[in-house]
Amino acid sequence: MNKDPVRALILSGGGGRGAFHAGVYRYLMKNHKVNVDANHEGAWEPQIIVGTSIGAVNGAAISQGMSAEQLVNVWKSLEEKDIQGLPPGMRGIARWVAGAIFREVMDARLPQIAPQEATSPTPKEFWPPLPLLPRWVAERLIGYWINLLDTGPLRKTLFTRFGLDEEQLAASEKALLIAATKVRTGERVLFSNRNVMDHKRGEPRRDVFTGITADRILASCSIPLVYPWTFDRETDSVYWDGALVANTPLGAAIDMMGEDASVPAEVVVVMMTPWWESSEPAPAKAESEPKSFGDAITWMLDWMLLASFRENLKMVRAFNELAAREREENKPPYRYRHVTPIIVSPLEFLRAERIIDYDGDVSARLIEEGYKAAKHAFEKAFPDSVT
């Protein structure tokens, strides 16, 4: 007897590029899709969501019931000041230089965040580019800060714009996992709105902590050096962005699917980096080397974020071969689940500065690109045999 597949949605990190997620979700939830088979023409609603960094923000909103159109509207309305500002300890010339740089990058004047609203820790020593000057001069010109931007506005925006409700998340029918990196050890840690079992060992996963809070979502978004690390009281640890070590934790999504490996799975993986198989043409920009310093930064970040996914995809394909062999031998119960990965990615590279750039007009274009990319991926993965 055929069984409906488990559906999982993996949302990678990418800061201001997160509007791309909203466009993808708009397509997934669309009814009456064309050029796809009958099983996928209706809304594709995930039962499991895994989010990293901005994917954790969007994943939490989707998990607690935000519609695709609501998510699109939130992204179209966001501005830089809704996400970040200068840390309160930044002073004088440092504040002037940072403000000038960020105005150039994102064409926005960022406010300095008041201490009572800030998330930035206050270091004991000032930043040392002026070590030969008297201490009072360095304090006046530079101040005390260890991150370029503060996420106090994002914490507020989680509640006011994304409608974060921690109790609603805990009660959601959708399983949610978000990834963070433990600063002191470099280990990947996952936070979840329910228990996650390691089915091979028959025990709860040791790298997963139950409970999704605003601080844990911020932890997943804490880009090193750009944003402050985030302290989680329950685990007594500080965290950086999960994308450092696990931008697309595919294995965690599969563990969330339960023990019955006879049930197949469909996993939509949304990335902010162009993806192509070896048999497919590369994007135009990838046909030669980077042409500028900005290109080099973009490529470096994208390939770093993509590295762990490449390994995960190899693992899934290897397990799929074992699953196919088991079914050919027809000897249940099966140990391996067949997983269909649907990779949704932009056709061209998205500039690195978009990670901290939140602009409604650009977000609108990213939403449109996300919709088109999801449509392309579904028509490729589930073609309509009639057409």
Side-chain angles (χ1 to χ4, degrees):
M1 183 169 60
N2 292 331
K3 298 182 179 181
D4 292 334
V6 181
R7 291 175 170 177
L9 175 63
I10 299 181
L11 302 172
S12 69
R17 303 169 173 183
F20 188 84
H21 292 161
V24 172
Y25 192 55
R26 172 186 266 179
Y27 176 81
L28 295 180
M29 296 305 292
K30 175 182 172 63
N31 280 302
H32 311 297
K33 298 182 182 74
V34 297
N35 301 326
V36 296
D37 63 34
N39 293 328
H40 295 89
E41 62 184 5
W44 191 95
E45 187 164 358
Q47 297 142 285
I48 299 166
I49 301 172
V50 182
T52 300
S53 195
I54 199 64
V57 174
N58 287 332
I62 293 169
S63 294
Q64 60 181 58
M66 181 174 283
S67 71
E69 291 309 310
Q70 288 173 321
L71 187 61
V72 163
N73 290 335
V74 168
W75 272 97
K76 286 183 176 179
S77 68
L78 286 178
E79 298 178 10
E80 286 82 2
K81 63 182 177 61
D82 299 316
I83 305 297
Q84 59 216 353
L86 301 180
M90 192 175 281
R91 296 285 180 265
I93 191 171
R95 186 171 58 217
W96 178 83
V97 170
I101 291 172
F102 291 128
R103 279 197 302 274
E104 181 68 24
V105 169
M106 63 184 74
D107 192 26
R109 182 182 296 275
L110 294 177
Q112 187 163 34
I113 307 305
Q116 65 271 22
E117 298 176 359
T119 56
S120 299
T122 302
K124 295 180 180 179
E125 297 182 3
F126 60 85
W127 201 57
L130 301 176
L132 300 180
L133 295 179
R135 188 179 185 88
W136 70 269
V137 175
E139 290 177 345
R140 180 72 60 86
L141 296 179
I142 300 169
Y144 291 81
W145 48 278
I146 52 177
N147 45 274
L148 294 172
L149 293 169
D150 185 273
T151 51
L154 174 57
R155 195 180 199 286
K156 181 179 179 181
T157 295
L158 287 175
F159 293 99
T160 59
R161 309 289 279 280
F162 287 95
L164 178 63
D165 185 322
E166 295 172 3
E167 292 184 1
Q168 192 174 345
L169 269 179
S172 174
E173 293 182 356
K174 298 182 188 300
L176 175 65
L177 282 163
I178 61 175
T181 302
K182 187 178 287 190
V183 172
R184 291 172 186 156
T185 63
E187 296 173 283
R188 184 202 66 184
V189 168
L190 296 166
F191 300 109
S192 176
N193 63 346
R194 62 193 63 184
N195 293 327
V196 182
M197 294 294 294
D198 184 332
H199 297 295
K200 292 181 179 179
R201 294 184 174 87
E203 61 183 30
R205 284 185 57 146
R206 298 175 184 176
D207 61 341
V208 180
F209 297 93
T210 305
I212 303 290
T213 64
D215 285 337
R216 289 178 170 182
I217 295 173
L218 277 183
S220 186
C221 298
S222 298
I223 303 172
L225 304 183
V226 178
Y227 298 137
W229 57 58
T230 302
F231 176 71
D232 177 61
R233 191 177 303 279
E234 185 176 340
T235 58
D236 191 31
S237 296
V238 290
Y239 296 94
W240 269 333
D241 194 315
L244 277 179
V245 292
N247 196 35
T248 51
L250 189 54
I254 294 173
D255 274 350
M256 198 66 124
M257 294 175 182
E259 294 185 75
D260 188 357
S262 66
V263 180
E266 295 175 358
V267 182
V268 172
V269 182
V270 187
M271 299 189 300
M272 309 295 190
T273 302
W275 172 267
W276 64 96
E277 301 284 356
S278 57
S279 59
E280 298 174 334
K285 280 193 175 181
E287 293 177 356
S288 62
E289 295 75 20
K291 300 297 185 184
S292 66
F293 185 70
D295 281 350
I297 292 176
T298 299
W299 285 36
M300 177 194 70
L301 288 174
D302 282 347
W303 296 156
M304 287 173 58
L305 295 176
L306 200 58
S308 63
F309 175 70
R310 292 184 190 277
E311 296 305 311
N312 284 337
L313 188 60
K314 288 179 183 178
M315 175 192 70
V316 167
R317 287 173 172 169
F319 285 162
N320 279 348
E321 291 179 5
L322 294 173
R325 190 176 306 168
E326 281 186 324
R327 283 147 184 80
E328 286 175 2
E329 296 173 354
N330 195 24
K331 293 181 180 179
Y334 301 126
R335 295 181 57 195
Y336 300 99
R337 187 190 310 274
H338 186 273
V339 177
T340 301
I342 304 100
I343 303 168
V344 181
S345 65
L347 298 179
E348 296 293 342
F349 290 92
L350 304 177
R351 300 290 298 177
E353 58 264 28
R354 276 298 301 171
I355 290 176
I356 59 171
D357 189 5
Y358 292 76
D359 178 88
D361 292 339
V362 179
S363 291
R365 292 197 296 273
L366 285 173
I367 290 165
E368 184 178 347
E369 289 180 26
Y371 184 95
K372 290 179 179 177
K375 183 175 184 295
H376 172 77
F378 260 58
E379 290 176 357
K380 178 182 175 182
F382 311 111
D384 184 359
S385 58
V386 176
T387 58

